[in-house]
Amino acid sequence: MTEEGVSVILPVFNDRTALEEAIPRSAAALSEITDAFEVIVAEDGSTDGSAEFVEAWHQKDSRVRLLHADERLGRGKALNRAIASARYSTVCYYDVDLATDLAHLRELVGAIQGGADIATGSRLLPDSEIVRSGDREIASRGYNFLVRTILSSRLHDHQCGFKAFSRDQILPLLDTVGAPHWFWDTEVLVRGQHAGLTIKEFPVVWRQGPGTTVRFKDVFSMGSQILGLWWHLHVAKN
């Protein structure tokens, strides 16, 4: 049986500067919620000293630990690996740039501890408060419209990097999730709905970070993967 507590995962690829703020702020926010927690930095083949920075932090606080990959796995595979290695029953992850206000962390954790299998922040609900460029807003709404239409999702925002899971419920689902990179979020939420898992979506305050690692080819790939997932769910039945 998984130990009660909260595991937070920070997926990282050459994010050394962002870690300087993300680690202490995460530890402080978690300390207000529970005494049993860990911060797992899922460092995915970085070359900017991210791994060394986390190792040094671990010497000061053993609740912060590094999960290193010598070669780039991709965000999705790195998250699968980190969730499997998590110690506690509630597993969260959020983007290292802290684009989603950490004031929502208590609500995120509380949703799982209150019985949800998956909880996810949403930038597209009426009460959400977001600040980002117009082109990203249009792209996000268009993408989520396609997911809702083609994959029959009941959710509004599939790509917000602020999610939590019941570890015991999500581990079997991850065996079916094949997306190695950015489509991982969407696939988890859509497959979770098809599996009958309880999913709570709630509005968040979100601010666009100084940069993004989502490129045009990522957007095109995710569009193709929407169709691929539809095929797996409705034709291949897997």
Side-chain angles (χ1 to χ4, degrees):
M1 186 70 179
T2 309
E3 189 175 345
E4 290 298 319
V6 181
S7 296
V8 158
I9 299 167
L10 299 175
V12 165
F13 175 66
N14 288 340
D15 293 303
R16 162 73 171 75
T17 301
L19 284 169
E20 294 179 10
E21 182 177 357
I23 290 177
R25 287 188 58 188
S26 295
L30 286 162
S31 295
E32 295 179 359
I33 298 172
T34 178
D35 292 328
F37 71 85
E38 64 178 347
V39 178
I40 303 171
V41 179
E43 184 274 307
D44 190 16
S46 298
T47 57
D48 67 343
S50 292
E52 292 79 5
F53 179 80
V54 178
E55 285 284 22
W57 199 285
H58 176 74
Q59 300 306 313
K60 299 183 292 183
D61 186 347
S62 61
R63 298 172 302 182
V64 177
R65 63 184 180 95
L66 173 70
L67 192 60
H68 170 70
D70 289 326
E71 297 181 357
R72 191 87 195 270
L73 299 174
R75 182 169 172 276
K77 290 183 178 179
L79 282 169
N80 282 352
R81 180 180 178 223
I83 292 170
S85 75
R87 174 181 178 183
Y88 294 114
S89 57
T90 299
V91 181
C92 312
Y93 92 86
Y94 44 83
D95 293 334
V96 70
D97 64 0
L98 305 183
T100 303
D101 194 326
L102 280 185
H104 296 296
L105 186 58
R106 184 181 293 274
E107 183 175 6
L108 186 71
V109 170
I112 301 301
Q113 296 179 344
D117 300 312
I118 301 174
T120 181
S122 176
R123 300 161 296 181
L124 300 178
L125 288 171
D127 292 333
S128 302
E129 181 182 331
I130 65 171
V131 175
R132 65 176 162 191
S133 61
D135 56 342
R136 287 192 65 181
E137 176 71 6
I138 293 170
S140 176
R141 290 187 179 276
Y143 173 81
N144 283 289
F145 173 78
L146 289 176
V147 174
R148 287 170 60 84
T149 302
I150 296 173
L151 296 175
S152 302
S153 175
R154 299 181 299 276
L155 303 173
H156 295 80
D157 186 359
H158 302 82
Q159 290 300 115
C160 183
F162 196 75
K163 293 180 171 62
F165 312 96
S166 164
R167 184 175 181 275
D168 290 340
Q169 293 298 318
I170 199 65
L171 281 178
L173 186 72
L174 293 184
D175 290 337
T176 69
V177 177
H181 201 35
W182 292 104
F183 191 68
W184 184 90
D185 300 71
T186 298
E187 185 171 1
V188 164
L189 293 178
V190 171
R191 286 192 180 276
Q193 291 175 79
H194 275 257
L197 299 184
T198 300
I199 303 176
K200 179 177 180 180
E201 183 180 28
F202 62 92
V204 295
V205 174
W206 187 91
R207 298 287 185 272
Q208 181 175 321
T212 178
T213 54
V214 181
R215 298 156 297 183
F216 176 78
K217 71 176 185 178
D218 294 316
V219 175
F220 178 80
S221 174
M222 287 192 291
S224 301
Q225 287 177 87
I226 290 174
L227 298 177
L229 182 54
W230 180 89
W231 174 272
H232 280 292
L233 292 172
H234 297 286
V235 180
K237 303 293 185 181
N238 61 27

